[in-house]
């Protein structure tokens, strides 16, 4: 009877990685993206499972994440993908992580810090092929940055990469434009710097277009069994790794007109029984799910009624129920024959599955099994 727990099926992470690795063309490596605490699933346990499943590399976003993963998986090539301030850069380099660079000034700074640490920094030069976020838009500058790495005793040109803006939008012509731009730069870069790895694909791109696989794919969402296209992950052979569970702390009888929660946003229109679950938006159950979600108890769906509070939600169990205090309640995941996917909650909230699992708060323990 845990108040709120995120159960993580690391076997599912392992199987998802095996599935992704099998999908990759021509020996491309699988890099498991474990930033944001493994998309809310727990970075350490998921990284270990991903490596067992066939990932050969790991990626994170921040210096602190690099320090955490680098400590535990010192033997695994790591890439820190984000923009790094001085402290983040030092943390990433000390963790032995490769870093992303797209400006000359920052490249010199990386060289200085690597020299100060007595190491050589592995650099992945980022080309902005259309995402309009991090990266350099000029192919000539991108190639010049790789050249500068090759000439510096403190730097190693390790990679060239880009990121797609619309890989998850089937039929988007912009994806093909980005792919064409990146392919042209990648071919030149490979000819000049044969030791580098080039990479572009995220999870959606892996399923969408084998030409995007290059030497490595950076997969996050699919590693965790979430569907990159916001559909049913099972249709792509992926198994969701996370379930969010609580229990029924109390069951009480409601008469017509009785209300549940702040603002009285739900009132019983007939006699019924209402279950109280001791978790809420403080745990990442978003308030937008008030009167807008279902919860599994005894293998059946029950409407979440009333306003989601910080520490409680209420569910309508119906007038005759066998549900008792102490019964398990499932907000994400399966119970009996029924399942509630993160994709379902995302659709209800007008968001994406990524935000659902990343939004499960730190006070919810992540428990393997
Ligand atoms: C630069 C970069 N590469 C790869 C990924 C992984 O993408 P996905 O989770 O869609 O597989 C992300 C995730 O946001 C990213 O920011």
């Amino acid at each position: 009877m845990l108040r709120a727990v995120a159960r993580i099926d690391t076997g599912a992470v392992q199987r998802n990685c095996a599935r992704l690795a099998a999908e990759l063309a021509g020996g491309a490596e699988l890099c498991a993206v474990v930033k944001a605490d493994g998309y809310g699933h727990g970075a350490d346990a998921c990284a270990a499972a991903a490596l067992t499943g066939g990932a050969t590399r790991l990626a994170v976003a921040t210096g602190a994440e690099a320090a955490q993963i680098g400590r535990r998986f010192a033997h695994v090539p790591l890439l820190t993908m984000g923009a790094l301030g001085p402290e983040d850069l030092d943390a990433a380099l000390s963790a032995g992580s490769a870093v992303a660079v797209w400006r000359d000034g920052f490249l010199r700074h990386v060289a200085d810090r690597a020299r100060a640490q007595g190491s050589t920094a592995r650099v992945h030069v980022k080309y902005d092929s259309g995402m309009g976020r991090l990266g350099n838009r000029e192919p000539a500058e991108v190639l010049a940055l790789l050249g500068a790495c090759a000439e510096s005793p403190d730097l190693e040109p390790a990679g060239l990469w880009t990121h797609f803006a619309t890989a998850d939008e089937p039929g988007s012509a912009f994806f093909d434009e980005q792919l064409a731009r990146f392919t042209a730069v990648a071919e030149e870069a490979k000819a000049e710097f044969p030791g580098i790895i080039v990479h572009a694909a995220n999870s959606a791109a892996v399923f969408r277009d084998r030409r995007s696989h290059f030497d490595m794919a950076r997969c996050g969402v699919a590693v965790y069994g979430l569907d990159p296209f916001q559909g049913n992950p099972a249709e792509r052979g992926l198994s969701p790794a996370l379930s969010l569970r609580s229990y029924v702390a109390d069951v009480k009888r409601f008469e017509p007109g009785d209300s549940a929660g702040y603002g009285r946003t739900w009132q019983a229109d007939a006699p019924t029984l209402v279950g109280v679950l001791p978790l809420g938006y403080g745990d990442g159950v978003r308030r937008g799910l008030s009167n807008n979600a279902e919860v599994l108890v005894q293998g059946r769906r029950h409407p979440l009624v009333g306003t989601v509070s910080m520490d409680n939600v209420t569910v309508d169990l119906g007038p005759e129920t066998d549900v008792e205090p102490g019964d398990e309640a499932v907000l994400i995941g399966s119970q009996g024959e029924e399942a509630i996917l993160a994709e379902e909650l995302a659709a209800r909230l007008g968001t994406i599955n990524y935000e659902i699992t990343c939004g499960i708060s730190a006070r919810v323990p992540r428990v393997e099994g």
Side-chain angles (χ1 to χ4, degrees), residues 33 35 39 81 126 133 161 163 202-204 218-222 354:
V33 178
K35 60 184 175 152
Y39 290 39
M81 302 188 293
K126 188 160 196 186
R133 220 171 54 175
W161 63 305
H163 193 44
N202 58 358
S203 301
R218 305 182 309 271
C219 294
V221 79
Y354 300 66

Side-chain angles (χ1 to χ4, degrees), residues 200-322:
N202 58 358
S203 301
V206 165
F207 289 110
R208 176 192 179 122
D209 193 329
R210 292 170 76 77
R211 293 172 307 161
S212 72
H213 295 183
F214 296 99
D215 298 323
M216 175 180 109
R218 305 182 309 271
C219 294
V221 79
V223 164
Y224 307 101
L226 300 166
D227 184 55
F229 303 95
Q230 304 302 315
N232 184 346
E235 284 169 19
R236 260 168 274 277
L238 300 170
S239 321
L242 177 145
S243 64
L244 178 62
R245 293 168 191 271
S246 179
Y247 74 99
V248 179
D250 196 15
V251 176
K252 51 175 36 140
R253 183 161 294 282
F254 272 46
E255 299 302 332
D258 285 348
S259 63
Y262 289 115
R264 310 192 71 211
T265 62
W266 178 83
Q267 295 181 18
D269 52 17
T272 192
L273 290 158
V274 169
V276 185
L277 318 183
L279 84 175
Y281 63 77
D283 301 289
V285 179
R286 295 258 301 274
R287 200 165 176 272
L289 295 174
S290 302
N291 298 303
N292 181 29
E294 291 178 323
V295 174
L296 304 180
V297 189
Q298 294 277 5
R300 295 186 302 274
R301 285 176 175 256
H302 300 278
L304 189 162
V305 292
T307 303
V308 174
S309 306
M310 192 182 296
D311 315 309
N312 293 287
V313 301
T314 35
V315 292
D316 185 1
L317 300 169
E320 283 165 35
T321 184
D322 51 355

Side-chain angles (χ1 to χ4, degrees), residues 12 29 35 51 64-66 86 95 129 136 157 171 188 223 251 275 324 348:
E29 288 184 70
K35 60 184 175 152
L51 293 166
E65 291 171 348
S129 59
N136 190 311
E188 272 193 67
V223 164
V251 176
E324 290 176 356
R348 289 179 183 276

